[in-house]
Amino acid sequence: MIRMTNVSKKYPNGVTAIKDLSLTIESGEFAYIVGPSGAGKSTFIKMLYHQLRATSGKIEVAGFDLIGMKDRDVPYLRRKIGVVFQDFKLLPRLTVFENVAYAMEVIEAQPQAIKDRVLEVLELVGLKGEIRRFPNELSGGEQQRVAVARAIVNQPEVLIADEPTGNLDPETSDGIMDILEAINQRGTIVLMATHNKQMVNERTHRVLAIEDGRLVRDEKEGDYGYED
Amino acid sequence: MIRMTNVSKKYPNGVTAIKDLSLTIESGEFAYIVGPSGAGKSTFIKMLYHQLRATSGKIEVAGFDLIGMKDRDVPYLRRKIGVVFQDFKLLPRLTVFENVAYAMEVIEAQPQAIKDRVLEVLELVGLKGEIRRFPNELSGGEQQRVAVARAIVNQPEVLIADEPTGNLDPETSDGIMDILEAINQRGTIVLMATHNKQMVNERTHRVLAIEDGRLVRDEKEGDYGYED
Amino acid sequence: MKTRTLKRHLNDSFKSLKRNGWMSVAAVSAVTVTLLLVGIFFAMIFNFNKISQDIENDVHVRVMIERGTTSKQKDQLQKKLEKIAAVKDVTYSSRKKELNKVVGSYGQSFKMFTGDDNPLYDVYTVSTTKPSQTIKVAKHAKQLKYVYDATYGGNNAKKLFKVMSSVRKWGIGFTLLLLFVAVFLISNTIRITILSRRDEIGIMRLVGATNAYIRWPFLFEGAWVGLLGVIIPIIIIDVGYGWVYRHMALSMASAGYSMLKPGIFLFQLDLTMAVIGIVIGALGSVISMRRFLRI
Amino acid sequence: MKTRTLKRHLNDSFKSLKRNGWMSVAAVSAVTVTLLLVGIFFAMIFNFNKISQDIENDVHVRVMIERGTTSKQKDQLQKKLEKIAAVKDVTYSSRKKELNKVVGSYGQSFKMFTGDDNPLYDVYTVSTTKPSQTIKVAKHAKQLKYVYDATYGGNNAKKLFKVMSSVRKWGIGFTLLLLFVAVFLISNTIRITILSRRDEIGIMRLVGATNAYIRWPFLFEGAWVGLLGVIIPIIIIDVGYGWVYRHMALSMASAGYSMLKPGIFLFQLDLTMAVIGIVIGALGSVISMRRFLRI
Ligand SMILES: Nc1ncnc2c1ncn2[C@@H]1O[C@H](COP(=O)(O)OP(=O)(O)OP(=O)(O)O)[C@@H](O)[C@H]1O
Ligand SMILES: Nc1ncnc2c1ncn2[C@@H]1O[C@H](COP(=O)(O)OP(=O)(O)OP(=O)(O)O)[C@@H](O)[C@H]1O
Ligand SMILES: [Mg+2]
Ligand SMILES: [Mg+2]
């Protein structure tokens, strides 16, 4: 479960990116986060896995109270959350395989289990042939898929994806969405920021619209909702 | 004018990303490059501004012969080409203003001209309020717009954009497309890799489809053409 | 920590060292050059110390025996001299021998004083265990029976003492400075390489690695950098010192001094360098990354 | 290059230095520590040289004049001595004075030889411009008329010569080594900071900057790092040397030696450090980035 109560986030440069935002996402939900560029979607997401500390308010994720959390507990929160970062954040010195495996190694999984599972998820995102490559030897879309693979490899309680299909063609995007929905079926919360109007409209889920740091819309079976 | 003749590109790791590709783009044309993730779109684009050297074949861009080009002539080629990189490639230690201004400074433009022009293009992409920020203080979409601003600031002969709207909401994307089309109206070649099906279908231009490194489709008034 | 995890950390540290390419080379060569300097300087300063001691030890107390002292009484005196604290050994030299020495340095005209005309005294040359004890021993000896006078080297020796001891004092100061510099430079180099990897460390945190988990491979990597960096200095110092030793030994010996024997000295020096390189490499690495291990 | 462009480059270099934050601090402190070492060591080695020369210069040739030489003949001899190459000055000392010296170091019993009994000779003490010339001068003097004998210091002096000259030789070697090390460490540090900015350089190339355009700000930045890095060493060395000079001068003087006067010496030393810091900073920067300026 994710619960935010009156959360605000002000960056050191004075920008208030999230303003008094409250919402609850129950276990097993799938929610889109939509909104214009610079609305605060990524800021919102970064607070959930404690990359950013909220300036005020309360945040609760997967049983952790994120306000007043000790630094040393943060890794244990993050192990319950899979994240696809908007800028991928792959480790440049590790191969595709090692990047995905790293997320399993930190929880000290068995080597054989790591190997099997990593190959499995890499196959799922269509990168089984590229396991020995380094991130800078991949196309943008391929890097994004590695990021997706890493996020799901530990079968997290919460999956947070910041535009996981921004660099992907519609077909591959659909493949990724299939994966995310399948994970969601198994009870994982999936939270996904996206600009993909068509996808939001066709695969209906809860829609959270953020504009200028405020939650302006929250619909159970919503649509993208912005005209062009 | 851009002319490629039997161009192939093999990466050091053995991947042949472009295979015997030939095409001509006349001055004043607007062309989309479409194709699945990993098809070779970015590789194709990188060869045009000589970030990558073709393994074989001939490339001619804006009057430069790119094969056998001397390293010291490369900057002069690049000054005729504006590029929006898929990963933005902003200078992390420069502010938004300075990043855009840098492209004008290298051609030793007048300080006042730089100031005026940079503010003009930043206004165009909707970032006039963020000129003092550093790239890591921007949202993904904002960074992308800075990249667009930098690409157009020198009014280049050729504008190459690798997914310039991947991180943008449909409305902002439309704004960027308006800018690109306006530039194209003034005679600049615009070459744009994209996954945005709706955009390609609605704003019809020439479509070049690349799959597995080969040019598989070249239509004057094409559509995106991939089903989902 | 499970051995499996330890192995993984070791493995990761190797990989990272290799994949950091030129950065690793630059870090290793910084360690190399720094330790080479330390090694060469230490070899020099310790040998300088050794030799300056040799020189000081050259200075003895001359105990002049009153005329008419019987040889039995002389033996008594000798025993007493030998009992003075800090006296190493006592050698006898007759006035005749002494005159010959004077003749040697002041000219043949003294020759006329041979025999009973000899104005000099029989002398005990007393060497001390510590050069600094010379003055004390001389004073003590003066008060003994049958002693006419007890002198030591004189003005020149005093000057030499002063110079040597101040050079040595400066040497110690400079040794400490050099140690500090070496530690600083090595850890600073490691710090810079870590600074350039802050993003990497941030990503590790973001995917759920604990600080301890992140730290280990960096610690090992720092240690490898130190270890690799120390190899060349050790080789150069060992080979070079051996060479210098062989080539200098003779001329040194002819001047009455000797260098430190390579065996144990080189072992200690190598060990010092290895410890500095490896420990500072590892610690520098861990300490530098501390500030990136928040949030 | 237009002045406008130059100003821009300078500006960019400042900005970059500031915005690189800890990286700049680390680079500057590497320079600081390295040059501090260089400065202190150079201050020591040059003073050691100075003092060892003082000591060597203490050694003179003693030219003993034959008995019965008239004072006019002595004047003749003095002139001849003064004409020998490498002779600096010649001072006269009567046999009476000489005896007093002997009495001083060999005991009161020599007192009986005063007056005509004095077995010693009148002496010219000849000092040479170069200590190494002593032996030659002595040999030459021996062959002159009215000269009974010409000697120099003797065994001790020879030993001292040898030690001093070998220490000095090693000092020069070590000075060169230290210079090399300083140059290497500074340029290596700069290299690492540049390595971590290769992406930045790549982007500059991609947006149409020529290599020259990219290079200038890096060159200036390297120079600033050097300049900032040299400030603290200069202050420490200048203040510290002044302090040491004031506190040592007296005891040094009493031993008959003197340190180098701070004025010109410190100026030269500061200049050397500044040149190393700034030039190596700038050059290191430009050289390190060469390989990133392709394609
Ligand atoms: N590190 C930062 N420091 C200061 N301001 C920031 C920082 N990151 C983001 N901002 C600002 O906060 C606002 C919200 O940014 P955020 O990244 O959350 O937007 P977003 O909704 O994810 O946009 P996009 O769709 O473009 O990714 C923006 O105005 C942005 O400029
Ligand atoms: N630097 C590189 N070294 C080796 N292989 C590379 C490199 N860059 C890309 N590739 C490979 O070349 C192929 C084409 O990559 P490219 O980046 O051109 O794809 P793309 O069409 O731009 O894909 P996307 O839409 O995902 O950005 C891919 O298989 C990719 O893995
Ligand atoms: Mg975002
Ligand atoms: Mg691409």
Side-chain angles (χ1 to χ4, degrees):
Chain A
M1 200 191 64
I2 296 173
R3 173 171 298 152
M4 280 201 174
T5 324
N6 305 113
V7 170
S8 293
K9 173 67 197 177
K10 187 171 179 175
Y11 281 109
N13 67 354
V15 175
T16 306
I18 292 293
K19 294 166 185 161
D20 195 33
L21 194 147
S22 302
L23 57 71
T24 307
I25 299 171
E26 301 294 341
S27 296
E29 274 197 285
F30 191 123
Y32 293 114
I33 302 168
V34 302
S37 171
K41 303 181 293 298
S42 296
T43 305
F44 169 77
I45 280 178
K46 283 175 186 167
M47 288 190 294
L48 293 179
Y49 56 85
H50 213 61
Q51 185 178 356
L52 289 177
R53 231 178 243 278
T55 313
S56 64
K58 279 193 66 173
I59 306 179
E60 209 190 302
V61 176
F64 285 84
D65 169 26
L66 270 62
I67 307 302
M69 190 174 198
K70 291 208 183 86
D71 274 3
R72 68 161 174 279
D73 293 330
V74 174
Y76 303 98
L77 163 71
R78 289 179 180 158
R79 290 173 186 189
K80 305 213 160 189
I81 309 179
V83 186
V84 183
F85 304 93
Q86 188 168 10
D87 51 356
F88 317 150
K89 293 210 186 296
L90 301 177
L91 288 163
R93 311 247 176 273
L94 299 188
T95 63
V96 167
F97 181 93
E98 290 163 353
N99 259 288
V100 178
Y102 193 79
M104 287 189 82
E105 285 168 3
V106 300
I107 58 171
E108 308 201 13
Q110 298 283 346
Q112 193 55 48
I114 294 179
K115 209 173 157 195
D116 295 345
R117 174 69 182 153
V118 170
L119 291 177
E120 186 184 327
V121 294
L122 282 174
E123 175 141 47
L124 218 53
V125 298
L127 287 175
K128 213 177 170 179
E130 277 82 30
I131 57 169
R132 292 236 165 67
R133 301 240 200 114
F134 289 94
N136 67 355
E137 297 173 3
L138 294 177
S139 81
E142 286 162 349
Q143 289 179 40
Q144 193 156 39
R145 283 180 277 156
V146 177
V148 170
R150 183 178 59 187
I152 63 177
V153 73
N154 276 334
Q155 308 191 283
E157 280 183 32
V158 179
L159 184 72
I160 300 179
D162 201 347
E163 311 215 27
T165 60
N167 286 271
L168 298 176
D169 56 289
E171 201 176 339
T172 312
S173 297
D174 263 346
I176 297 297
M177 277 306 286
D178 290 343
I179 296 170
L180 298 188
E181 286 181 341
I183 287 172
N184 177 242
Q185 285 306 314
R186 289 203 300 262
T188 296
I189 293 183
V190 176
L191 205 62
M192 169 176 163
T194 185
H195 291 302
N196 196 326
K197 182 178 174 177
Q198 202 179 354
M199 186 191 293
V200 175
N201 290 343
E202 284 175 8
R203 302 182 180 239
T204 46
H205 293 290
R206 180 172 174 188
V207 174
L208 303 164
I210 294 178
E211 275 177 40
D212 194 20
R214 293 179 204 283
L215 185 67
V216 294
R217 187 157 53 92
D218 180 355
E219 295 169 342
K220 260 262 124 68
E221 302 268 294
D223 61 2
Y224 188 76
Y226 294 97
E227 291 307 306
D228 48 2
Chain B
M1 201 192 63
I2 296 172
R3 173 171 297 151
M4 280 201 174
T5 325
N6 303 115
V7 170
S8 294
K9 173 66 196 176
K10 187 172 178 174
Y11 281 110
N13 67 354
V15 175
T16 306
I18 292 293
K19 294 165 184 161
D20 195 32
L21 193 148
S22 302
L23 57 72
T24 307
I25 300 171
E26 301 294 341
S27 296
E29 272 196 288
F30 191 124
Y32 293 115
I33 303 167
V34 301
S37 171
K41 302 180 295 298
S42 296
T43 305
F44 168 78
I45 280 178
K46 283 175 187 167
M47 287 191 294
L48 293 179
Y49 56 87
H50 213 61
Q51 185 180 355
L52 290 177
R53 231 177 243 278
T55 313
S56 65
K58 278 193 65 172
I59 306 180
E60 209 189 303
V61 176
F64 286 84
D65 169 25
L66 269 61
I67 308 302
M69 190 174 197
K70 291 208 183 83
D71 274 1
R72 68 163 173 278
D73 293 330
V74 174
Y76 304 97
L77 163 71
R78 289 181 180 157
R79 290 171 186 190
K80 304 212 161 187
I81 309 180
V83 186
V84 182
F85 304 93
Q86 189 168 10
D87 51 358
F88 318 149
K89 293 208 187 296
L90 301 178
L91 289 163
R93 310 247 177 274
L94 300 187
T95 63
V96 167
F97 181 93
E98 290 163 354
N99 258 289
V100 179
Y102 192 81
M104 286 188 83
E105 285 167 4
V106 300
I107 58 171
E108 308 201 13
Q110 300 283 345
Q112 192 54 47
I114 294 179
K115 209 174 157 196
D116 296 345
R117 175 68 183 153
V118 170
L119 290 177
E120 186 184 328
V121 293
L122 282 175
E123 174 141 48
L124 218 53
V125 298
L127 287 176
K128 214 179 172 182
E130 277 82 30
I131 57 170
R132 291 236 166 66
R133 302 240 199 112
F134 289 94
N136 67 357
E137 298 172 2
L138 295 177
S139 81
E142 286 163 348
Q143 289 180 41
Q144 192 156 40
R145 284 181 277 157
V146 177
V148 171
R150 183 178 60 187
I152 64 177
V153 73
N154 276 335
Q155 308 190 281
E157 281 182 33
V158 179
L159 184 73
I160 299 179
D162 201 348
E163 311 216 27
T165 61
N167 287 270
L168 298 176
D169 56 288
E171 200 177 340
T172 314
S173 297
D174 263 346
I176 297 295
M177 277 306 286
D178 289 343
I179 297 169
L180 298 187
E181 286 181 342
I183 288 171
N184 176 242
Q185 285 306 315
R186 291 203 298 261
T188 297
I189 293 182
V190 176
L191 205 63
M192 171 178 162
T194 185
H195 291 303
N196 195 326
K197 182 177 175 178
Q198 202 179 353
M199 186 189 294
V200 175
N201 289 343
E202 285 175 8
R203 302 181 179 240
T204 46
H205 293 290
R206 182 172 173 187
V207 172
L208 304 162
I210 295 178
E211 276 177 40
D212 193 22
R214 292 180 205 281
L215 186 67
V216 293
R217 187 156 56 91
D218 181 355
E219 295 168 343
K220 259 263 124 62
E221 304 267 292
D223 60 5
Y224 188 77
Y226 293 97
E227 291 309 307
D228 46 3
Chain C
M1 190 160 51
K2 293 177 195 154
T3 37
R4 187 173 78 222
T5 314
L6 180 69
K7 254 168 82 181
R8 186 169 285 148
H9 288 325
L10 275 170
N11 228 321
D12 284 356
S13 68
F14 279 127
K15 262 194 310 211
S16 177
L17 188 71
K18 219 177 69 193
R19 291 178 186 167
N20 272 313
W22 282 109
M23 195 69 105
S24 297
V25 172
V28 168
S29 55
V31 176
T32 298
V33 167
T34 308
L35 289 181
L36 193 60
L37 186 74
V38 169
I40 292 179
F41 180 76
F42 276 25
M44 280 168 61
I45 197 76
F46 285 114
N47 273 292
F48 182 78
N49 252 358
K50 168 76 166 59
I51 290 168
S52 77
Q53 264 163 16
D54 285 355
I55 293 178
E56 284 187 355
N57 288 340
D58 252 15
V59 185
H60 305 285
V61 177
R62 292 167 48 83
V63 179
M64 290 171 240
I65 306 161
E66 280 194 339
R67 283 170 206 233
T69 308
T70 64
S71 87
K72 220 174 144 190
Q73 289 166 331
K74 282 180 193 164
D75 286 349
Q76 266 182 318
L77 176 59
Q78 176 159 10
K79 277 189 192 107
K80 272 190 190 146
L81 286 172
E82 278 162 352
K83 268 189 205 127
I84 299 175
V87 163
K88 201 165 63 188
D89 84 287
V90 177
T91 35
Y92 178 74
S93 161
S94 68
R95 52 205 280 236
K96 205 169 147 195
K97 247 180 168 174
E98 287 301 295
L99 185 65
N100 286 339
K101 281 191 206 164
V102 176
V103 169
S105 52
Y106 282 88
Q108 300 296 321
S109 55
F110 277 99
K111 268 200 180 140
M112 57 174 95
F113 298 105
T114 38
D116 277 345
D117 284 337
N118 185 342
L120 297 177
Y121 294 82
D122 297 325
V123 156
Y124 275 121
T125 305
V126 176
S127 69
T128 55
T129 49
K130 273 193 229 138
S132 53
Q133 297 294 318
T134 314
I135 299 173
K136 227 165 144 191
V137 169
K139 276 191 186 148
H140 191 144
K142 232 180 223 171
Q143 287 151 15
L144 294 176
K145 222 176 161 186
Y146 313 122
V147 170
Y148 172 74
D149 200 1
T151 60
Y152 56 92
N155 216 30
N156 260 334
K158 263 196 216 155
K159 268 189 192 173
L160 198 64
F161 272 26
K162 267 193 186 156
V163 174
M164 287 296 176
S165 94
S166 85
V167 168
R168 212 165 325 130
K169 230 184 279 166
W170 285 98
I172 292 172
F174 198 65
T175 303
L176 291 177
L177 176 75
L178 192 66
L179 264 181
F180 161 79
V181 167
V183 167
F184 180 86
L185 286 177
I186 292 173
S187 60
N188 195 60
T189 302
I190 300 273
R191 188 219 311 270
I192 298 179
T193 63
I194 298 261
L195 271 171
S196 74
R197 290 166 73 184
R198 58 189 308 165
D199 292 346
E200 235 173 285
I201 295 169
I203 296 173
M204 292 171 179
R205 292 268 305 160
L206 283 177
V207 298
T210 57
N211 290 347
Y213 191 90
I214 297 173
R215 223 179 261 130
W216 282 107
F218 279 90
L219 186 146
F220 288 131
E221 197 180 334
W224 298 140
V225 167
L227 184 64
L228 290 177
V230 89
I231 292 174
I232 294 177
I234 284 185
I235 293 176
I236 292 183
I237 298 281
D238 284 11
V239 173
Y241 190 85
W243 189 87
V244 170
Y245 186 83
R246 278 195 308 280
H247 282 74
M248 300 278 290
L250 202 71
S251 71
M252 282 277 169
S254 81
Y257 317 128
S258 67
M259 285 172 73
L260 291 163
K261 292 221 172 54
I264 305 168
F265 172 63
L266 283 185
F267 176 74
Q268 289 168 335
L269 190 57
D270 292 348
L271 201 70
T272 308
M273 291 193 292
V275 167
I276 296 178
I278 297 167
V279 172
I280 302 307
L283 281 186
S285 196
V286 170
I287 291 169
S288 315
M289 59 191 301
R290 247 194 333 205
R291 108 185 69 161
F292 305 136
L293 293 177
R294 311 246 166 83
I295 276 216
Chain D
M1 188 162 50
K2 293 177 195 153
T3 37
R4 188 172 77 221
T5 314
L6 181 66
K7 255 167 79 182
R8 187 169 285 149
H9 287 327
L10 275 170
N11 228 321
D12 285 355
S13 68
F14 280 128
K15 263 194 310 211
S16 177
L17 188 69
K18 219 177 67 192
R19 292 178 185 168
N20 273 313
W22 282 108
M23 195 70 107
S24 297
V25 173
V28 168
S29 55
V31 176
T32 297
V33 166
T34 309
L35 289 182
L36 193 60
L37 186 75
V38 169
I40 293 178
F41 180 76
F42 276 26
M44 281 168 59
I45 197 77
F46 284 115
N47 273 292
F48 182 78
N49 251 359
K50 167 76 167 59
I51 291 168
S52 78
Q53 262 164 16
D54 285 355
I55 294 177
E56 283 187 356
N57 288 340
D58 251 16
V59 185
H60 306 283
V61 177
R62 291 165 50 82
V63 179
M64 291 171 240
I65 306 161
E66 279 194 341
R67 281 170 206 231
T69 308
T70 64
S71 89
K72 220 170 143 191
Q73 288 167 332
K74 283 180 191 167
D75 286 350
Q76 267 184 319
L77 175 60
Q78 176 159 11
K79 279 192 189 104
K80 272 191 193 146
L81 286 172
E82 278 163 353
K83 270 190 204 125
I84 299 175
V87 163
K88 202 167 64 185
D89 84 286
V90 177
T91 34
Y92 178 73
S93 161
S94 69
R95 54 204 279 234
K96 206 170 147 194
K97 248 181 167 173
E98 288 299 296
L99 184 64
N100 286 337
K101 282 190 205 165
V102 176
V103 169
S105 52
Y106 280 88
Q108 300 296 322
S109 55
F110 277 100
K111 267 201 181 140
M112 57 174 96
F113 299 105
T114 41
D116 277 345
D117 283 341
N118 186 344
L120 298 176
Y121 295 82
D122 297 325
V123 155
Y124 274 121
T125 306
V126 177
S127 68
T128 54
T129 49
K130 273 193 228 140
S132 54
Q133 296 294 317
T134 312
I135 300 172
K136 227 164 143 192
V137 170
K139 276 190 186 150
H140 191 145
K142 233 180 224 170
Q143 287 151 15
L144 294 176
K145 219 176 165 186
Y146 314 121
V147 169
Y148 172 74
D149 199 1
T151 61
Y152 55 92
N155 215 30
N156 260 334
K158 261 195 219 155
K159 268 188 192 174
L160 198 64
F161 271 28
K162 265 194 188 157
V163 174
M164 287 297 176
S165 93
S166 84
V167 168
R168 211 164 326 128
K169 229 185 279 165
W170 284 98
I172 292 172
F174 198 65
T175 301
L176 291 177
L177 176 76
L178 192 66
L179 264 180
F180 161 79
V181 166
V183 167
F184 180 87
L185 286 177
I186 292 174
S187 60
N188 194 60
T189 302
I190 300 274
R191 189 220 309 271
I192 298 178
T193 64
I194 299 262
L195 272 171
S196 74
R197 292 167 71 183
R198 60 191 306 165
D199 291 346
E200 236 173 286
I201 295 170
I203 295 172
M204 292 172 180
R205 292 269 304 160
L206 283 178
V207 298
T210 57
N211 289 348
Y213 191 90
I214 297 172
R215 224 179 261 130
W216 282 108
F218 278 90
L219 185 146
F220 288 131
E221 197 179 334
W224 298 140
V225 167
L227 184 64
L228 290 177
V230 90
I231 292 175
I232 293 177
I234 284 186
I235 293 176
I236 292 184
I237 298 282
D238 285 10
V239 173
Y241 191 84
W243 189 89
V244 170
Y245 186 82
R246 278 194 308 279
H247 282 74
M248 301 277 291
L250 201 72
S251 72
M252 281 277 168
S254 81
Y257 316 128
S258 66
M259 285 173 72
L260 292 162
K261 291 222 172 51
I264 304 168
F265 172 63
L266 283 186
F267 175 75
Q268 289 169 334
L269 190 57
D270 293 348
L271 200 70
T272 308
M273 291 194 290
V275 167
I276 297 177
I278 297 167
V279 172
I280 302 308
L283 281 187
S285 195
V286 170
I287 292 169
S288 314
M289 60 190 301
R290 248 194 333 205
R291 107 184 69 162
F292 304 137
L293 294 176
R294 311 246 167 83
I295 275 213

